Amino acid sequence: MVHAIRIHEYGGPEALRWDEVEVGDPGPGEVRLRQTAVGLNYIDTYHRTGAYKMPQLPAIIGAAAAGVVEAVGPKVTALKVGDRVAYAPTAGGAYTQARVMSSERLVPLPSWIGEEQAAGMMLQGMTAQYLLRSTYRVQPGDTILVQAAAGAVGLILCQWAKHLGATVIGTVSTDEKAELARAYGCDHPIVYSREDFPVRVKEITGGQGVPVVYDGVGKTTFMASLDCLRPRGLMVLFGAASGPPAPLDLGVLAAKGSLYVTRPTLFTYVNKRDDLMSSAADLFDVVHAGGVKIDVRQTYPLRDAEQAHRALEGRQTTGSTVLIP
């Protein structure tokens, strides 16, 4: 028997329980994974609250982790016992000391990547990868806007976009977070609590606006994000930390300059094995080259996931956070 964090009902951080669970043997195409680090991601709060429903309750939440293969089932040829691997995303199941899962969703780790770093970068890093290289392919000379630039995905977006030759504008809530974002490649941090960020974006861009906004905040920033776009610009809503935006009258997009809006998810972009491996390889390459630095800035014991969720939702974290089983 091992321990896992489960929810028995949807709710606040207090709904997270430290339960004893049983982990069976791997079947065909599966491995048993001893987990050494679990990534804390905002999507975990959506599963906890029921904003994204789990298939059934009680349920183990969590979308990303790293660990060591301790058993392989029949028909598994690409992995062996002792291999270090990581994964993201999954629709739950990561907040546990051990689990059985499909080998097709596991990515072998290069020797230079630590397991805590891997757990902290897989979901957030591959999110940045598809946003910057597929949803809107950032080019040298582009000026882009990143909402919540000091958050886990935000810091990666700032660094990677800067590495690609872009100028990065980012919104943050405090002066301290502004300095952090600047240190990670944000050319123009805007403290939105005292500055009108659409006005500042227009000032920075000489009145033109930006070709793309990457917004993981949602409700509180969505409409103002549209005002930051140049004509025919792309609004990329990839999360909703403040809640989902209100329904949108599509006529607004015409009035604001024939804008585009998309609501992508990492699940769609890495659903196929080849796409998963390609995205992970791109992430590993840019980290190894020094273009993106992944800092695990907070760690908590897995059994203290409630405390970690409170810190995340209270905007008390920056960068990546990892739970230690």
Side-chain angles (χ1 to χ4, degrees), residues 72-123:
V72 299
K75 301 181 180 179
V76 175
T77 58
L79 296 172
K80 65 183 184 303
V81 173
D83 283 351
R84 299 184 319 123
V85 295
Y87 63 86
T90 61
Y95 281 26
T96 183
Q97 294 174 326
R99 68 179 300 187
V100 170
M101 64 182 298
S102 170
S103 64
E104 288 293 298
R105 303 310 300 170
L106 295 172
V107 177
L109 292 179
S111 60
W112 53 269
I113 295 180
E115 287 148 40
E116 288 188 20
Q117 184 186 38
M121 73 189 249
M122 286 297 288
L123 189 142

Side-chain angles (χ1 to χ4, degrees), residues 46 49 57 100 106 114 133 185 195 200 218 247 254 324:
Y46 303 159
T49 61
L57 297 178
V100 170
L106 295 172
R133 309 312 293 143
E195 298 180 88
R200 285 288 294 125
I324 307 300

Side-chain angles (χ1 to χ4, degrees), residues 195-221:
E195 298 180 88
D196 187 329
F197 71 81
V199 171
R200 285 288 294 125
V201 167
K202 289 296 179 69
E203 291 174 351
I204 293 166
T205 60
Q208 295 183 22
V210 296
V212 64
V213 176
Y214 295 113
D215 191 337
V217 178
K219 182 178 180 179
T220 60
T221 55

Side-chain angles (χ1 to χ4, degrees), residues 290-302:
V292 170
K293 182 180 179 181
I294 304 293
D295 279 339
V296 176
R297 300 181 65 86
Q298 298 86 205
T299 61
Y300 295 84
L302 178 60

